Amino acid sequence: MDITIRTVNDRWKLFTLTNDNGMEVQFLNYGGIITKILVPDKNQNKKNIVLGYADYKDYESDPNFLGAVIGPVAGRIKEAEFTLKNKNFGLEQNDGNHHLHGGSNAFHRVIWETETIKTDDKAGVTLSYVRKDGENGYPGNATVAVTYTLTNKNQLMIDYEATTDETTPITLTNHSYFNLTGDTNNTVHTHQLMVDSHQFLELNSGLIPTGKIIDATDSLFDFREGRELKNGMVAGSEQNKIVGNGYDHYFLFDHTKEKNVIVRDKNSGRVLTIETDQPGMVLYTGQNIVKGLELDGGSSKKYSGVCFETQSSPASLHHEGLPMIILNPSEIYKKQTTFSFYVE
């Protein structure tokens, strides 16, 4: 196990975690941004399987949130406002009339404090940040920690922890775009996906959940037996079309299978499995990726990566019966998501 640290500029540092198998995970203290995950294919060719910029400076103006820590609230908040204890809180409208991913200068834009961790079978870094009361419109001083850990089992574990001195909404995630082919010239259309879920949240034309939970059984949103992503991209349902031909929906996990998510790329043989204690995830197939950005390995285009944003639902601020995101001063927000890689 190894940890190396390289200075990118006067404020940014690039951390590289390497395990005994040669798997690598690279990330910045800026935004906690994962820039590369290098894993082998069935022929032992090691390639980067997440989207990242060729020039690190592009992360400062990134419209796609590539690889970043998202918070304090991942996802969209309707009309950029919410009410807590009979008090209304107004947020930045950075997605039409709505509030997206904590605001334009949220956790994906801050410099995180770092502390390294290393043992015989794992290497990691804890990133920490104190969100001040009123920052981006959110109440409470919140102390947040995100730990990236690489193991010799080719697992990337992401642990999230937060406390607050005032009741506040918090749900954190990572916004990495995966492309298991290892080639940005390829899209994720043929990625085979299994999701342990039979329910998802309906969206309106503004991509805001209506509060209605839809049964996915026998639809293009039923991934329990596995299906290719292209099914919902090429000739999708109205819900697929409303997001621009693809998926940008919150799936509620059934938590009935050992793995919450399994992703396969048949050509490379790479397989990604995801295990989490989060109640669900947003599946986003990258249909809104800005075209022509210079990425590591090629130029960006629609569908060049897919996100698995494990989290609770910000729609719970406006609708009952959904996974809550409220954290009280007496509580500790503590969640874990593990990404495991192998070949078949």
Side-chain angles (χ1 to χ4, degrees):
M1 305 300 299
D2 191 32
I3 304 174
T4 61
I5 306 171
R6 180 167 71 87
T7 300
V8 175
N9 56 37
D10 59 348
R11 300 183 68 203
W12 296 13
K13 293 179 180 179
L14 178 71
F15 293 79
T16 301
L17 309 178
T18 308
N19 69 10
D20 295 344
N21 307 316
M23 177 180 166
E24 292 183 30
V25 178
Q26 299 183 15
F27 54 91
L28 298 165
N29 62 337
Y30 174 73
I33 294 168
I34 294 175
T35 60
K36 291 183 181 179
I37 299 177
L38 292 99
V39 295
D41 64 7
K42 61 187 177 184
N43 297 315
Q44 294 304 303
N45 295 315
K46 191 169 67 172
K47 290 188 176 181
N48 177 29
I49 50 85
V50 294
L51 302 187
Y53 288 105
D55 187 340
Y56 292 126
K57 290 181 180 178
D58 290 338
Y59 286 110
E60 287 186 294
S61 57
D62 174 28
N64 300 298
F65 301 91
L66 296 189
V69 173
I70 303 297
V73 173
R76 293 176 175 86
I77 295 179
K78 179 183 177 182
E79 303 298 336
E81 62 180 12
F82 62 91
T83 301
L84 275 181
K85 297 183 175 181
N86 296 318
K87 184 178 179 180
N88 187 66
F89 294 89
L91 306 171
E92 176 191 6
Q93 295 181 337
N94 64 324
D95 186 58
N97 294 326
H98 312 297
H99 179 78
L100 177 65
H101 290 335
S104 57
N105 292 297
F107 291 175
H108 64 292
R109 290 281 190 261
V110 304
I111 304 290
W112 294 71
E113 297 293 325
T114 57
E115 181 179 352
T116 59
I117 308 158
K118 187 178 176 182
T119 67
D120 289 341
D121 60 354
K122 64 179 65 174
V125 176
T126 296
L127 303 104
S128 58
Y129 178 69
V130 178
R131 195 276 314 279
K132 299 297 184 183
D133 179 34
E135 188 174 313
N136 292 318
Y138 289 92
N141 296 291
T143 301
V144 182
V146 179
T147 302
Y148 293 140
T149 306
L150 177 63
T151 75
N152 275 328
K153 295 180 179 180
N154 283 9
Q155 296 175 317
L156 171 61
M157 305 168 68
I158 307 182
D159 288 277
Y160 304 92
E161 190 167 317
T163 57
T164 179
D165 61 1
E166 286 186 46
T167 300
T168 194
I170 283 188
T171 185
L172 309 176
T173 196
N174 177 270
H175 210 281
S176 288
Y177 290 76
F178 292 90
N179 186 325
L180 297 185
T181 71
D183 185 348
T184 54
N185 293 312
N186 297 325
T187 67
V188 295
H189 280 73
T190 59
H191 278 37
Q192 187 86 10
L193 177 66
M194 187 289 296
V195 182
D196 182 19
S197 168
H198 77 284
Q199 294 179 314
F200 70 97
L201 298 189
E202 179 185 63
L203 298 179
N204 64 22
S205 59
L207 307 187
I208 299 297
T210 64
K212 181 180 180 181
I213 298 175
I214 296 180
D215 188 334
T217 303
D218 297 328
S219 76
L220 293 174
F221 288 77
D222 190 350
F223 288 93
R224 287 174 293 178
E225 300 302 318
R227 66 167 62 243
E228 288 188 339
L229 286 174
K230 69 180 180 183
N231 296 154
M233 298 172 177
V234 178
S237 67
E238 186 60 33
Q239 278 293 298
N240 295 119
K241 293 174 183 175
I242 213 168
V243 300
N245 297 311
Y247 298 91
D248 195 3
H249 296 75
Y250 186 83
F251 288 74
L252 293 98
F253 290 134
D254 293 341
H255 286 294
T256 58
K257 299 184 179 184
E258 181 182 356
K259 310 294 184 184
N260 300 102
V261 178
I262 302 175
V263 196
R264 288 181 167 90
D265 173 55
K266 291 181 180 179
N267 289 335
S268 68
R270 291 187 181 93
V271 181
L272 161 64
T273 67
I274 302 173
E275 297 172 77
T276 185
D277 52 7
Q278 292 277 18
M281 75 167 186
V282 173
L283 170 65
Y284 172 49
T285 46
Q287 57 272 14
N288 297 314
I289 292 175
V290 176
K291 183 180 179 181
L293 300 174
E294 291 306 311
L295 302 181
D296 174 56
S299 294
S300 64
K301 59 179 176 293
K302 291 173 63 171
Y303 307 117
S304 50
V306 54
C307 299
F308 307 101
E309 303 164 54
T310 57
Q311 60 179 91
S312 290
S313 174
S316 62
L317 292 171
H318 299 99
H319 301 284
E320 296 182 354
L322 302 178
M324 291 295 294
I325 66 169
I326 299 302
L327 181 69
N328 293 304
S330 60
E331 301 167 335
I332 299 176
Y333 175 90
K334 199 175 181 68
K335 298 292 182 181
Q336 182 183 79
T337 296
T338 299
F339 300 90
S340 302
F341 301 89
Y342 63 95
V343 292
E344 59 182 14

